[in-house]
Amino acid sequence: MIILGIESSCDETAAAIVKDGKKILSSVVASSAELHIKSGGIIPEAAARKQIESIIPVIKESLAEANLKPADLDAIAVTEGPGLIGSLLVGVEAAKTLSFVWKKPIIPVNHLWGHIYAAWIDNTPNLPAVVLIVSGGHSDIFLMKAETDIKWIGGTRDDAAGEAFDKTARLLNLPYPGGPSISKEAESFKDAKLTKYPRPLIDSTDFDFSFSGLKTSVMRNLDKENIGKEAAEVQEAIVDVLVEKTKRAVGKFNPKSVIVSGGVAANKRLREKLEKDIKNVDLFIPEIKYCTDNAAMIATAAYYLKKETPWQEVSANPQLTLV
Ligand code: KG4
Ligand code: ZN
């Protein structure tokens, strides 16, 4: 089954063609991140306008890269939500139009299923799995029992982990997106003792996170002369909490696998610590290019979710939840 995936939930415009949920025939990502550098965060209106400019060229390129024609496709998968409404609409309306014109079924995909199924691109994790999704909009822990059966067990009470990186990066005067810039700055301090900032809720027995206090603490205690060290301190505080809660979920639910995905899962320090600390269970973290927003994960998820829907019934839903 050959699926064209389309992803446009935030500031990436992406299209990919995936065969049988495994073989990536093409994956094209255009980002409007540069547009948002000056403002230090995403401007939804600007992101949506950029989506409109990029969507057709990106879809065309995904077909060309895969050396396929529309007639070769079996279905079109598209992110229906959650995300920014203006951005989502561009991908959803493009997918509906193509579905009508090319006479191909459409498979709407929740963006979070996409992040989860990114782990299926190179592997087949055994279930049940503890899943940590950490991105710009989400920090959630789920227990995935079967291919379409998932239970939420905890999540952030305020800012998402990616948001914490992005907001503290602004305080440190580092460019958007904050995750990669903090990670780069932190590089030379990886062996330092890093305990300056609080690890919110690290000792609570639930699976919740709270990152907004970190921002306040950085604002109050920032050492402007040592931005590299500050970046390392921030990163370590976020990573410590994420790793600890994941370890605790493994202890409680005794899963066969742990899946960590979403933009923040691209973080090198997080990957290192998880690999060191998650023991006696298989750990799956997608390749970096499939952790951040992309359309290969959407086409892959569509293959497993198998939810073909008439185009008339597909619509963008910015508040869509997974469970
Ligand atoms: O999954 P994603 O691409 O988009 C959303 O669905 O939100 O995640 C974007 C988030 C941003 O907050 C960005 O700062 C963060 O992922 N991010 C990282 C890294 N790369 C991206 N955070 C920490 N370290 C990274 N290397
Ligand atoms: Zn995402």
Side-chain angles (χ1 to χ4, degrees), residues 17-152:
I17 300 179
V18 180
K19 190 175 178 198
D20 297 334
K22 280 265 172 275
K23 196 161 191 285
I24 313 295
L25 303 181
S26 66
S27 180
V28 181
V29 182
S31 171
S32 64
E34 268 182 28
L35 272 184
H36 313 298
I37 289 177
K38 256 202 213 141
S39 53
I42 295 178
I43 306 164
E45 165 82 13
R49 282 171 186 269
K50 200 71 190 164
Q51 293 281 1
I52 293 171
E53 274 173 38
S54 306
I55 192 85
I56 296 297
V58 162
I59 293 171
K60 269 177 100 172
E61 198 178 327
S62 73
L63 282 162
E65 206 179 272
N67 207 8
L68 292 176
K69 298 181 295 302
D72 302 320
L73 303 172
D74 294 301
I76 300 168
V78 65
T79 302
E80 57 178 335
L84 302 171
I85 184 62
S87 290
L88 282 169
L89 275 170
V90 176
V92 167
E93 293 309 314
K96 286 166 72 170
T97 309
L98 295 176
S99 158
F100 173 73
V101 175
W102 292 345
K103 300 187 173 52
K104 303 289 175 188
I106 199 163
I107 305 175
V109 175
N110 182 311
H111 184 78
L112 299 181
W113 273 128
H115 277 307
I116 295 169
Y117 273 102
W120 268 254
I121 290 174
D122 297 313
N123 289 289
T124 306
N126 284 317
L127 299 176
V130 160
V131 180
L132 171 71
I133 300 185
V134 269
S135 70
H138 293 269
S139 297
D140 290 300
I141 302 188
F142 296 95
L143 182 63
M144 183 176 175
K145 296 180 199 154
E147 271 180 15
T148 57
D149 181 2
I150 198 159
K151 197 175 136 211
W152 182 86

Side-chain angles (χ1 to χ4, degrees), residues 247-307:
K247 265 166 60 182
R248 187 162 308 143
V250 170
K252 178 159 178 190
F253 297 102
N254 196 23
K256 292 203 172 106
S257 311
V258 171
I259 295 167
V260 181
S261 190
V264 178
N267 186 273
K268 230 169 102 184
R269 182 72 181 140
L270 175 63
R271 297 170 85 97
E272 260 170 31
K273 273 207 156 177
L274 286 165
E275 265 148 32
K276 197 169 128 273
D277 285 20
I278 301 290
K279 298 195 185 89
N280 307 322
V281 54
D282 293 329
L283 174 66
F284 298 91
I285 315 176
E287 251 184 83
I288 288 178
K289 65 180 174 198
Y290 299 128
C291 282
T292 48
D293 286 352
N294 67 91
M297 68 184 195
I298 302 301
T300 299
Y303 176 77
Y304 292 95
L305 299 171
K306 301 179 186 78
K307 218 178 56 190

